[in-house]
Amino acid sequence: MDSATSDTRTPLGDQADNGLKIVVVGGFGVGKTTLVRSVSEIRPLNTEETMTQAGETVDDVSGVREKSATTVAFDFGRITLDAHNVLYLFGAPGQERFWFLWDRLFSGTLGAVVLVDTRRIDDSWYAIDRLERHGTPFIVACNDFGGSRHTPAEVRAALDLDPHVPLIDCDARSRASGKQVLITLVEHIRHHYAAQAPISEQELV
C-alpha cells in the first residue's frame, strides 16, 4: 500500500485554467479526511478538532471508537488532471449536527464521492438522498476497513442504489486507490452530461 506522504507533490502550474469542484461525503468516520489527504498534491486544509467525552453525548461513536479527531467544517485538497484541469476536493463533515453545511458545499459542485463503511451502511443514506435531491452526479466507494466483504449486489440493495451509479471498492489511505476513485467519478460525470439532451437556442433565450 502506498502512503500519502511517500511521494513528491507537484505544485499547480500557471497554465491550469479549469477548476472542477468535487465533494467527498459520507457518514461519520468513513475516511473522508483520509481520502482527501491521500490524493491531494498540496498540503490539505482541514478543520479537525480533538474529540472529547462531551462530544459522545451528541455524536454516535459506537462504530468509530478508535477515532480521536473529527472534521467540524470541511477538508480541502487539490489534484491536477492534466495541463488545463484541476480537481478541487472538499470533504464534508459526517456528523448530523454539521449537515446544515452540506447544501453550501454542494453549490457549484460538478460531482461527488459517497464514501461508505459497509459495517455502518445506514450512515450513507442521508448523503445519497441529498445528492439525488440536488441532482448531483455521484459514485459510491466502499472504504476497506477489513473484516467480512459484501458483494456489490448486497451493497446496492442495502443502499437502494440506482443501477447507473458506479460502485467501487477503495482504500482511502492509498493514493493510487484514491486516484482511481476520482478517475471513476470523472468518467461517470462525463457520461452523465453527455447523455443529457443538448439545450436548444430557444431555451437559452
Side-chain angles (χ1 to χ4, degrees), residues 51-61 97:
M51 295 177 62
T52 64
Q53 288 184 337
E56 295 186 12
T57 63
V58 290
D59 298 324
D60 181 6
V61 298
R97 58 192 165 114

Side-chain angles (χ1 to χ4, degrees), residues 159-180:
L159 293 174
D160 193 23
L161 204 60
D162 286 344
H164 74 277
V165 176
L167 172 67
I168 62 174
D169 292 323
C170 76
D171 183 340
R173 301 165 297 178
S174 164
R175 188 167 196 235
S177 182
K179 287 173 66 176
Q180 187 56 51

Side-chain angles (χ1 to χ4, degrees), residues 122-154:
D122 291 359
D123 293 350
S124 307
W125 289 346
Y126 180 79
I128 291 174
D129 178 69
R130 295 310 301 169
L131 290 168
E132 290 178 341
R133 287 176 181 270
H134 279 265
T136 304
F138 67 92
I139 70 167
V140 173
C142 296
N143 196 9
D144 181 13
F145 284 93
S148 60
R149 291 274 186 172
H150 297 273
T151 68
E154 290 172 337

Side-chain angles (χ1 to χ4, degrees), residues 170-205:
C170 76
D171 183 340
R173 301 165 297 178
S174 164
R175 188 167 196 235
S177 182
K179 287 173 66 176
Q180 187 56 51
V181 169
L182 297 178
I183 290 170
T184 302
L185 174 61
V186 171
E187 291 176 346
H188 176 57
I189 290 170
R190 185 190 307 121
H191 295 153
H192 173 83
Y193 287 110
Q196 292 185 348
I199 301 175
S200 67
E201 291 184 3
Q202 277 189 328
E203 290 175 309
L204 294 175
V205 176

Side-chain angles (χ1 to χ4, degrees), residues 10-13 16 39 41 78-87:
T10 303
L12 177 65
V39 298
E41 63 195 11
R78 186 194 71 205
I79 184 170
T80 300
L81 291 181
D82 54 41
H84 298 283
N85 299 283
V86 295
L87 293 183

